CSV table of all heavy atoms in Angstrom, one decimal:
chain,number,residue,atom,x,y,z
A,94,GLY,N,-17.5,4.6,-3.3
A,94,GLY,CA,-17.7,3.2,-3.6
A,94,GLY,C,-17.7,2.9,-5.1
A,94,GLY,O,-17.7,1.7,-5.5
A,95,ARG,N,-17.8,3.9,-5.9
A,95,ARG,CA,-17.8,3.6,-7.4
A,95,ARG,C,-16.5,3.1,-7.8
A,95,ARG,O,-15.5,3.4,-7.2
A,95,ARG,CB,-18.1,4.9,-8.2
A,95,ARG,CG,-19.6,5.4,-8.1
A,95,ARG,CD,-19.8,6.6,-8.9
A,95,ARG,NE,-19.1,7.7,-8.2
A,95,ARG,CZ,-18.4,8.6,-8.9
A,95,ARG,NH1,-18.4,8.6,-10.2
A,95,ARG,NH2,-17.7,9.6,-8.3
A,96,ARG,N,-16.5,2.3,-8.9
A,96,ARG,CA,-15.3,1.7,-9.4
A,96,ARG,C,-15.2,2.0,-10.9
A,96,ARG,O,-16.2,2.1,-11.6
A,96,ARG,CB,-15.3,0.2,-9.2
A,96,ARG,CG,-15.2,-0.2,-7.8
A,96,ARG,CD,-15.3,-1.7,-7.7
A,96,ARG,NE,-15.1,-2.1,-6.3
A,96,ARG,CZ,-14.1,-2.9,-5.9
A,96,ARG,NH1,-13.2,-3.4,-6.8
A,96,ARG,NH2,-13.9,-3.2,-4.6
A,97,GLN,N,-14.0,2.2,-11.4
A,97,GLN,CA,-13.8,2.5,-12.8
A,97,GLN,C,-12.6,1.7,-13.3
A,97,GLN,O,-11.5,1.8,-12.6
A,97,GLN,CB,-13.6,4.0,-13.0
A,97,GLN,CG,-13.3,4.4,-14.4
A,97,GLN,CD,-13.0,5.9,-14.4
A,97,GLN,OE1,-13.5,6.7,-13.6
A,97,GLN,NE2,-12.2,6.3,-15.3
A,98,ALA,N,-12.7,1.0,-14.4
A,98,ALA,CA,-11.5,0.3,-15.0
A,98,ALA,C,-10.5,1.3,-15.6
A,98,ALA,O,-11.0,2.3,-16.2
A,98,ALA,CB,-12.0,-0.7,-16.0
A,99,LEU,N,-9.3,1.0,-15.4
A,99,LEU,CA,-8.2,1.8,-16.0
A,99,LEU,C,-7.2,0.9,-16.7
A,99,LEU,O,-7.0,-0.2,-16.2
A,99,LEU,CB,-7.4,2.6,-15.0
A,99,LEU,CG,-8.1,3.7,-14.2
A,99,LEU,CD1,-7.1,4.3,-13.1
A,99,LEU,CD2,-8.6,4.8,-15.1
A,100,VAL,N,-6.7,1.3,-17.8
A,100,VAL,CA,-5.6,0.6,-18.4
A,100,VAL,C,-4.3,1.5,-18.3
A,100,VAL,O,-4.3,2.5,-19.0
A,100,VAL,CB,-5.9,0.2,-19.9
A,100,VAL,CG1,-4.7,-0.5,-20.5
A,100,VAL,CG2,-7.1,-0.7,-20.0
A,101,LEU,N,-3.4,1.1,-17.5
A,101,LEU,CA,-2.1,1.8,-17.3
A,101,LEU,C,-1.0,1.2,-18.1
A,101,LEU,O,-1.0,-0.1,-18.3
A,101,LEU,CB,-1.8,1.8,-15.9
A,101,LEU,CG,-2.8,2.4,-14.9
A,101,LEU,CD1,-2.3,2.2,-13.5
A,101,LEU,CD2,-3.1,3.9,-15.2
A,102,THR,N,-0.1,2.0,-18.7
A,102,THR,CA,1.0,1.4,-19.5
A,102,THR,C,2.3,1.8,-18.8
A,102,THR,O,2.4,2.8,-18.1
A,102,THR,CB,0.9,1.9,-20.9
A,102,THR,OG1,1.1,3.3,-20.9
A,102,THR,CG2,-0.4,1.5,-21.6
A,103,LEU,N,3.3,1.0,-19.2
A,103,LEU,CA,4.7,1.2,-18.8
A,103,LEU,C,5.5,1.3,-20.0
A,103,LEU,O,6.4,0.4,-20.2
A,103,LEU,CB,5.2,0.2,-17.8
A,103,LEU,CG,4.5,0.1,-16.4
A,103,LEU,CD1,4.7,-1.2,-15.7
A,103,LEU,CD2,5.0,1.3,-15.6
A,104,PRO,N,5.3,2.3,-20.9
A,104,PRO,CA,6.0,2.3,-22.2
A,104,PRO,C,7.5,2.5,-22.0
A,104,PRO,O,8.0,3.3,-21.1
A,104,PRO,CB,5.3,3.4,-22.9
A,104,PRO,CG,4.8,4.3,-21.9
A,104,PRO,CD,4.5,3.4,-20.7
A,105,GLY,N,8.3,1.8,-22.8
A,105,GLY,CA,9.8,2.1,-22.8
A,105,GLY,C,10.5,1.5,-21.6
A,105,GLY,O,11.7,1.9,-21.4
A,106,LEU,N,9.9,0.7,-20.8
A,106,LEU,CA,10.5,0.2,-19.6
A,106,LEU,C,11.6,-0.8,-20.1
A,106,LEU,O,11.3,-1.8,-20.7
A,106,LEU,CB,9.5,-0.5,-18.7
A,106,LEU,CG,9.9,-0.7,-17.2
A,106,LEU,CD1,10.1,0.7,-16.6
A,106,LEU,CD2,8.8,-1.4,-16.5
A,107,THR,N,12.9,-0.5,-19.7
A,107,THR,CA,14.0,-1.4,-20.1
A,107,THR,C,14.1,-2.6,-19.2
A,107,THR,O,13.5,-2.6,-18.1
A,107,THR,CB,15.3,-0.7,-20.2
A,107,THR,OG1,15.7,-0.3,-18.8
A,107,THR,CG2,15.2,0.6,-21.0
A,108,ALA,N,14.9,-3.6,-19.6
A,108,ALA,CA,15.1,-4.7,-18.7
A,108,ALA,C,15.8,-4.3,-17.4
A,108,ALA,O,15.4,-4.8,-16.3
A,108,ALA,CB,16.0,-5.8,-19.4
A,109,GLU,N,16.7,-3.4,-17.5
A,109,GLU,CA,17.4,-2.9,-16.2
A,109,GLU,C,16.4,-2.1,-15.4
A,109,GLU,O,16.4,-2.3,-14.1
A,109,GLU,CB,18.6,-2.0,-16.5
A,109,GLU,CG,19.3,-1.7,-15.3
A,109,GLU,CD,20.6,-0.9,-15.5
A,109,GLU,OE1,20.7,-0.2,-16.5
A,109,GLU,OE2,21.5,-1.1,-14.7
A,110,GLU,N,15.6,-1.3,-16.0
A,110,GLU,CA,14.6,-0.6,-15.2
A,110,GLU,C,13.6,-1.5,-14.5
A,110,GLU,O,13.2,-1.3,-13.3
A,110,GLU,CB,13.8,0.4,-16.0
A,110,GLU,CG,14.6,1.6,-16.5
A,110,GLU,CD,13.8,2.5,-17.4
A,110,GLU,OE1,13.0,2.0,-18.2
A,110,GLU,OE2,14.1,3.7,-17.4
A,111,THR,N,13.3,-2.6,-15.2
A,111,THR,CA,12.4,-3.6,-14.5
A,111,THR,C,13.1,-4.2,-13.4
A,111,THR,O,12.5,-4.4,-12.3
A,111,THR,CB,12.0,-4.7,-15.6
A,111,THR,OG1,11.3,-4.0,-16.6
A,111,THR,CG2,11.1,-5.8,-15.0
A,112,GLU,N,14.4,-4.6,-13.5
A,112,GLU,CA,15.1,-5.1,-12.4
A,112,GLU,C,15.2,-4.2,-11.2
A,112,GLU,O,15.1,-4.6,-10.0
A,112,GLU,CB,16.6,-5.5,-12.8
A,112,GLU,CG,16.7,-6.6,-13.8
A,112,GLU,CD,18.1,-6.9,-14.3
A,112,GLU,OE1,19.0,-6.2,-13.7
A,112,GLU,OE2,18.2,-7.6,-15.2
A,113,ILE,N,15.4,-2.9,-11.5
A,113,ILE,CA,15.4,-1.8,-10.4
A,113,ILE,C,14.1,-1.8,-9.7
A,113,ILE,O,14.0,-1.8,-8.4
A,113,ILE,CB,15.7,-0.4,-11.0
A,113,ILE,CG1,17.2,-0.4,-11.5
A,113,ILE,CG2,15.5,0.7,-10.0
A,113,ILE,CD1,17.5,0.8,-12.4
A,114,LEU,N,13.0,-1.8,-10.4
A,114,LEU,CA,11.7,-1.8,-9.8
A,114,LEU,C,11.4,-3.0,-9.0
A,114,LEU,O,10.9,-3.0,-7.9
A,114,LEU,CB,10.6,-1.6,-10.9
A,114,LEU,CG,10.6,-0.2,-11.5
A,114,LEU,CD1,9.7,-0.3,-12.8
A,114,LEU,CD2,10.1,0.8,-10.6
A,115,LEU,N,11.8,-4.2,-9.5
A,115,LEU,CA,11.6,-5.4,-8.8
A,115,LEU,C,12.5,-5.5,-7.5
A,115,LEU,O,12.1,-6.1,-6.5
A,115,LEU,CB,11.9,-6.6,-9.6
A,115,LEU,CG,10.8,-6.9,-10.7
A,115,LEU,CD1,11.3,-8.0,-11.7
A,115,LEU,CD2,9.5,-7.3,-10.1
A,116,ALA,N,13.6,-4.8,-7.5
A,116,ALA,CA,14.5,-4.8,-6.4
A,116,ALA,C,14.0,-3.8,-5.3
A,116,ALA,O,14.4,-3.8,-4.2
A,116,ALA,CB,15.9,-4.4,-6.8
A,117,GLY,N,13.2,-2.8,-5.8
A,117,GLY,CA,12.7,-1.8,-4.8
A,117,GLY,C,13.2,-0.4,-5.0
A,117,GLY,O,12.6,0.5,-4.7
A,118,CYS,N,14.4,-0.4,-5.6
A,118,CYS,CA,15.1,0.9,-5.9
A,118,CYS,C,16.4,0.6,-6.5
A,118,CYS,O,16.9,-0.5,-6.4
A,118,CYS,CB,15.1,1.8,-4.7
A,118,CYS,SG,16.3,1.3,-3.4
A,119,LEU,N,17.1,1.7,-7.0
A,119,LEU,CA,18.4,1.5,-7.6
A,119,LEU,C,19.5,1.0,-6.6
A,119,LEU,O,20.3,0.2,-6.9
A,119,LEU,CB,18.8,2.9,-8.2
A,119,LEU,CG,20.2,2.8,-9.0
A,119,LEU,CD1,20.1,1.8,-10.1
A,119,LEU,CD2,20.5,4.2,-9.5
A,120,ILE,N,19.4,1.6,-5.4
A,120,ILE,CA,20.4,1.1,-4.3
A,120,ILE,C,20.3,-0.3,-4.1
A,120,ILE,O,21.3,-1.1,-4.0
A,120,ILE,CB,20.2,2.0,-3.0
A,120,ILE,CG1,20.6,3.4,-3.3
A,120,ILE,CG2,21.0,1.4,-1.9
A,120,ILE,CD1,20.2,4.4,-2.2
A,121,ASN,N,19.1,-0.9,-3.9
A,121,ASN,CA,18.8,-2.3,-3.7
A,121,ASN,C,19.3,-3.1,-4.9
A,121,ASN,O,19.9,-4.2,-4.8
A,121,ASN,CB,17.4,-2.6,-3.5
A,121,ASN,CG,16.9,-2.1,-2.1
A,121,ASN,OD1,17.6,-1.6,-1.3
A,121,ASN,ND2,15.6,-2.1,-1.9
A,122,HIS,N,19.1,-2.6,-6.1
A,122,HIS,CA,19.5,-3.2,-7.3
A,122,HIS,C,21.0,-3.4,-7.4
A,122,HIS,O,21.5,-4.5,-7.6
A,122,HIS,CB,19.0,-2.4,-8.5
A,122,HIS,CG,19.5,-2.9,-9.9
A,122,HIS,ND1,19.2,-4.1,-10.4
A,122,HIS,CD2,20.4,-2.3,-10.7
A,122,HIS,CE1,19.8,-4.2,-11.6
A,122,HIS,NE2,20.5,-3.2,-11.8
A,123,TYR,N,21.8,-2.3,-7.0
A,123,TYR,CA,23.2,-2.4,-7.0
A,123,TYR,C,23.7,-3.3,-5.9
A,123,TYR,O,24.7,-4.0,-6.1
A,123,TYR,CB,23.8,-1.0,-6.8
A,123,TYR,CG,23.8,-0.2,-8.0
A,123,TYR,CD1,23.8,1.2,-7.9
A,123,TYR,CD2,23.9,-0.7,-9.3
A,123,TYR,CE1,23.7,2.0,-9.1
A,123,TYR,CE2,23.9,0.1,-10.4
A,123,TYR,CZ,23.8,1.5,-10.3
A,123,TYR,OH,23.8,2.3,-11.4
A,124,ALA,N,23.0,-3.3,-4.8
A,124,ALA,CA,23.4,-4.2,-3.6
A,124,ALA,C,23.3,-5.6,-4.0
A,124,ALA,O,24.0,-6.5,-3.4
A,124,ALA,CB,22.6,-3.8,-2.4
A,125,SER,N,22.3,-6.0,-4.9
A,125,SER,CA,22.1,-7.4,-5.2
A,125,SER,C,23.1,-7.9,-6.2
A,125,SER,O,23.2,-9.1,-6.5
A,125,SER,CB,20.7,-7.5,-5.8
A,125,SER,OG,20.6,-6.9,-7.1
Side-chain angles (χ1 to χ4, degrees):
R95 288 180 294 137
R96 294 172 173 246
Q97 175 184 332
L99 295 176
V100 177
L101 302 175
T102 62
L103 292 163
L106 202 61
T107 67
E109 184 174 33
E110 287 175 328
T111 300
E112 289 176 11
I113 292 167
L114 291 167
L115 289 170
C118 67
L119 184 60
I120 293 170
N121 291 351
H122 172 67
Y123 284 150
S125 69

